[in-house]
Amino acid sequence: MHDPSPPAVLPCRIDGYTDLPPGKLANLVTYLEMTRPPPPRATVRPDLALVETTRDVEAYRALYRRIGARWLWMGRLALSDAALARTLADPRLVSRTLLREGDAIGLMELIFAEDGEAELAYFGLVPEAIGGGIGRWLMDAALARAFARPITRLTVHTCTFDHPDAVAFYVRSGFRPYKRAIEIHDDPRLAGFYPRETAAERWPVVEG
């Protein structure tokens, strides 16, 4: 349902500091692009496999939270059951779950647009799987699936809420930064999407 009320306008200084209202979070977003696939990397991981992501909304949310809690992912959590089901069934979406010896440890989602472009919308691993080359294997798989279609551009964006090495990882994978933005949004912990103590060591809850 469309909300006819416009979002609140928050004055933002181009230079200097801007105070955030209680309950809001802000981060710096970096946008990156790739117009042709990089040379393939020979990475053989017989312990890893990609399978189609479940369309069971509760199972999906459970994996989404396992991966995204430390980064305060919230986009999919804000959707109703019906809206999330429609999203997962969208033919433009390619969603794959990464398995290691049968256990779900990662998520990769590509969205293909009609203009010949695609976006790597979600990409992440559960905390215990980070490191050891698993992310590189998953990225290689994502790039292969993206450029298996006749796309002219693949984009991704990351932010200061993400892993500290995220931008460098994307650059090493062949992406090029092209734009930055400041994102301001509600704290998902105050909406009940995560416990209040989630990621509090990096971003403590501020209610005013």
Side-chain angles (χ1 to χ4, degrees):
M1 180 180 294
H2 176 65
D3 182 0
S5 60
V9 176
L10 178 66
C12 186
R13 295 171 58 91
I14 298 301
D15 294 301
Y17 297 92
T18 297
D19 288 342
L20 292 177
K24 291 288 186 179
L25 294 172
N27 62 81
L28 180 65
V29 181
T30 299
Y31 295 82
L32 304 99
E33 65 181 357
M34 182 185 297
T35 55
R36 60 176 62 89
R41 297 178 288 196
T43 305
V44 178
R45 292 294 301 259
D47 58 323
L48 301 178
L50 277 179
V51 299
E52 187 170 357
T53 299
T54 178
R55 294 189 181 182
D56 179 287
V57 294
E58 287 306 315
Y60 177 90
R61 287 193 185 105
L63 177 61
Y64 186 94
R65 284 192 175 95
R66 283 184 63 205
I67 296 169
R70 65 191 307 193
W71 321 120
L72 297 181
W73 283 9
M74 64 174 291
R76 298 284 196 246
L77 301 181
L79 299 177
S80 67
D81 286 357
L84 179 55
R86 287 195 299 271
T87 296
L88 296 177
D90 191 326
R92 297 170 298 177
L93 175 71
V94 172
S95 182
R96 296 291 182 268
T97 295
L98 177 64
L99 302 182
R100 179 171 57 183
E101 298 178 346
D103 294 328
I105 62 167
L107 182 68
M108 178 276 290
E109 294 192 351
L110 293 160
I111 299 176
F112 291 88
E114 294 180 357
D115 59 2
E117 296 193 0
E119 178 188 7
L120 182 57
Y122 282 101
F123 183 93
L125 303 173
V126 298
E128 60 269 26
I130 294 175
I134 296 177
R136 183 177 66 180
W137 188 94
L138 182 59
M139 177 58 71
D140 290 347
L143 296 179
R145 279 162 174 75
F147 284 98
R149 301 194 186 188
I151 64 170
T152 58
R153 184 173 180 246
L154 176 64
T155 64
V156 66
H157 66 269
T158 185
C159 66
T160 46
F161 277 25
D162 207 344
H163 191 286
D165 191 45
V167 171
F169 171 77
Y170 288 129
V171 170
R172 290 195 301 270
S173 298
F175 287 91
R176 179 189 69 86
Y178 70 92
K179 185 176 73 169
R180 289 193 177 93
I182 295 172
E183 180 187 22
I184 298 172
H185 57 83
D186 293 333
D187 189 329
R189 296 166 296 189
L190 295 179
F193 296 133
Y194 295 108
R196 293 173 64 91
E197 63 271 16
T198 303
E201 71 282 359
R202 298 179 68 185
W203 309 289
V205 173
V206 177
E207 293 188 87

